[in-house]
Amino acid sequence: MDNLKVIFHINEPARWQRVLLNANNFVKDVGQENIDAEIVANGDAVTAYFEIEDASSSSEKLNENLYEKMNKLSKMGIRFAACRNALRMHSLDEQLLPPFVTAVPAGITEIAKKQAEGYAYIKP
Amino acid sequence: MDNLKVIFHINEPARWQRVLLNANNFVKDVGQENIDAEIVANGDAVTAYFEIEDASSSSEKLNENLYEKMNKLSKMGIRFAACRNALRMHSLDEQLLPPFVTAVPAGITEIAKKQAEGYAYIKP
Amino acid sequence: MDNLKVIFHINEPARWQRVLLNANNFVKDVGQENIDAEIVANGDAVTAYFEIEDASSSSEKLNENLYEKMNKLSKMGIRFAACRNALRMHSLDEQLLPPFVTAVPAGITEIAKKQAEGYAYIKP
């Protein structure tokens, strides 16, 4: 079987836990060696890459263990991308992104190109 | 014309009426004999498969006639799937799913595989 | 490179600014001559095509400059579609749609067919 190629799209911070859970279930179900998956964050969702240290003070606990979950998934082969337009709009410095996150010129272009290359699109 | 192949993805209970309306409009527009469509529920959306009997007491009437609508669509050829990870997370017994719903190991995998087979993805 | 083909799907009025921003970033990033893009509105999202004149009175300013942004994007080659089922459900007269918007029989069918033709799907 060819690898299952998937793009997860997230543009709302509140959906991170759901995205990470979905990605984790996907890896567990199909096996790390059989997937080619990337999580593309644009819009307000990119802020979560920088709020990780504030996780413990989040009243909603939405960011609880966010960094650990992302980091673990990245070690299982899931790639993370951040839209540069969104970073600029939120005055965020891409040099300060977690090491496992790659900045892309435009999240929408990344998603469109990957689908043209045969990736499935999932919006958790 | 080949059949139009579509996966509808739902992961939030409040969106069921919208998904079912979209699927119904799709069948009416294209014709039952020309479609190959599946509704894949994961996350909290799987709970709706089990709350059907409580529909009449819903203050929001969100579930009003939910079972009837699902059942009617299933008779028009629309398939329904439930993510087994989500069922487990909500302690729901897949033996008690409505007869027209199939449990799949992981909703995300189902959606990814179907897209790899040429299904369009729609998130109502 | 072939043109990048994208369908943007919107079914909630509150997401228009996001959709238009995403489409605008996409055109700026890839170039007007390299894209083939359509925004398909169904559900409640079609109402925004008719509420444009009320924009200045919107307390949330969600519709601020909505018409101008849509019009500008249409001049950059982005197409706009409205689901006829949704128009009917909201008792909206398709004759009164802005000149750059085309009514389609069913938004879901439009989205499914375009994906079958190789368009990427994005739900902002």
Side-chain angles (χ1 to χ4, degrees):
Chain A
M1 182 179 82
D2 283 345
N3 278 2
L4 267 178
K5 296 154 80 173
V6 175
I7 290 292
F8 294 96
H9 178 202
I10 175 165
N11 57 2
E12 296 167 289
R15 291 179 183 262
W16 267 108
Q17 294 288 8
R18 197 180 319 194
V19 168
L20 299 178
L21 177 64
N22 283 184
N24 192 54
N25 282 337
F26 180 54
V27 178
K28 279 201 271 181
D29 182 48
V30 181
Q32 185 175 342
E33 67 284 9
N34 299 314
I35 67 168
D36 178 348
E38 180 173 325
I39 296 172
V40 179
N42 73 339
D44 296 345
V46 298
T47 60
Y49 288 140
F50 298 84
E51 290 166 356
I52 287 162
E53 291 163 277
D54 296 335
S56 60
S57 64
S58 163
S59 59
E60 300 255 352
K61 297 265 182 200
L62 275 176
N63 288 328
E64 195 176 22
N65 296 320
L66 202 56
Y67 185 92
E68 282 72 19
K69 286 179 182 174
M70 288 179 178
N71 195 34
K72 187 180 151 206
L73 283 171
S74 80
K75 286 178 178 163
M76 292 158 83
I78 307 262
R79 300 187 300 279
F80 289 79
C83 171
R84 202 166 275 151
N85 289 314
L87 294 175
R88 217 160 19 220
M89 179 169 273
H90 289 88
S91 304
L92 294 167
D93 180 357
E94 76 178 75
Q95 303 300 327
L96 302 179
L97 280 167
F100 50 77
V101 181
T102 303
V104 296
I108 298 300
T109 309
E110 175 76 3
I111 294 167
K113 282 185 174 168
K114 290 295 188 189
Q115 285 188 68
E117 292 169 13
Y119 283 72
Y121 172 88
I122 297 180
K123 182 90 187 292
Chain B
M1 181 178 82
D2 283 344
N3 279 2
L4 268 179
K5 296 153 81 173
V6 175
I7 290 292
F8 294 97
H9 179 203
I10 175 165
N11 58 1
E12 296 166 290
R15 290 177 184 262
W16 267 108
Q17 294 289 9
R18 199 182 314 196
V19 168
L20 299 178
L21 177 65
N22 282 184
N24 193 54
N25 282 338
F26 180 54
V27 178
K28 280 202 272 181
D29 183 48
V30 181
Q32 185 174 341
E33 66 284 8
N34 298 314
I35 67 168
D36 178 349
E38 180 172 325
I39 297 172
V40 179
N42 73 339
D44 297 344
V46 298
T47 60
Y49 288 140
F50 299 84
E51 291 166 357
I52 286 163
E53 291 163 276
D54 297 335
S56 59
S57 64
S58 164
S59 60
E60 299 255 354
K61 298 264 180 199
L62 274 176
N63 288 328
E64 195 177 21
N65 297 320
L66 202 56
Y67 184 91
E68 282 72 21
K69 286 179 182 175
M70 287 179 178
N71 196 34
K72 187 180 150 206
L73 282 171
S74 80
K75 287 177 177 163
M76 293 158 81
I78 308 261
R79 300 186 300 279
F80 289 80
C83 171
R84 201 167 275 150
N85 290 314
L87 294 176
R88 218 161 17 223
M89 179 168 273
H90 290 88
S91 304
L92 293 168
D93 180 358
E94 76 177 74
Q95 304 299 326
L96 302 179
L97 281 168
F100 50 78
V101 181
T102 303
V104 295
I108 297 302
T109 310
E110 175 76 2
I111 294 168
K113 282 185 175 169
K114 290 294 187 189
Q115 284 187 70
E117 293 169 12
Y119 283 72
Y121 173 87
I122 297 180
K123 182 90 186 293
Chain C
M1 180 179 82
D2 284 344
N3 279 2
L4 267 179
K5 297 154 81 174
V6 175
I7 291 291
F8 293 96
H9 178 203
I10 175 166
N11 58 1
E12 295 167 291
R15 290 178 184 261
W16 267 109
Q17 294 288 9
R18 198 182 315 196
V19 168
L20 299 178
L21 178 64
N22 282 182
N24 192 55
N25 282 338
F26 180 54
V27 178
K28 279 201 273 182
D29 183 48
V30 181
Q32 185 175 339
E33 67 284 9
N34 298 315
I35 66 167
D36 179 348
E38 181 174 325
I39 297 172
V40 178
N42 73 339
D44 296 345
V46 298
T47 60
Y49 288 140
F50 298 84
E51 289 167 355
I52 287 163
E53 291 164 275
D54 296 335
S56 60
S57 64
S58 163
S59 60
E60 299 257 352
K61 296 264 183 199
L62 274 177
N63 288 327
E64 197 177 20
N65 297 319
L66 203 56
Y67 184 92
E68 283 71 21
K69 285 180 183 174
M70 287 179 179
N71 196 34
K72 187 180 151 206
L73 283 171
S74 80
K75 286 177 178 163
M76 292 157 82
I78 307 262
R79 300 186 300 279
F80 289 80
C83 171
R84 202 167 275 150
N85 289 314
L87 294 175
R88 217 160 18 223
M89 178 168 273
H90 289 88
S91 304
L92 294 167
D93 181 357
E94 76 177 73
Q95 303 300 326
L96 302 179
L97 281 167
F100 50 77
V101 181
T102 303
V104 295
I108 298 301
T109 310
E110 175 76 3
I111 294 167
K113 282 186 175 168
K114 290 295 188 191
Q115 285 188 68
E117 292 169 12
Y119 284 72
Y121 172 88
I122 296 179
K123 182 89 186 294

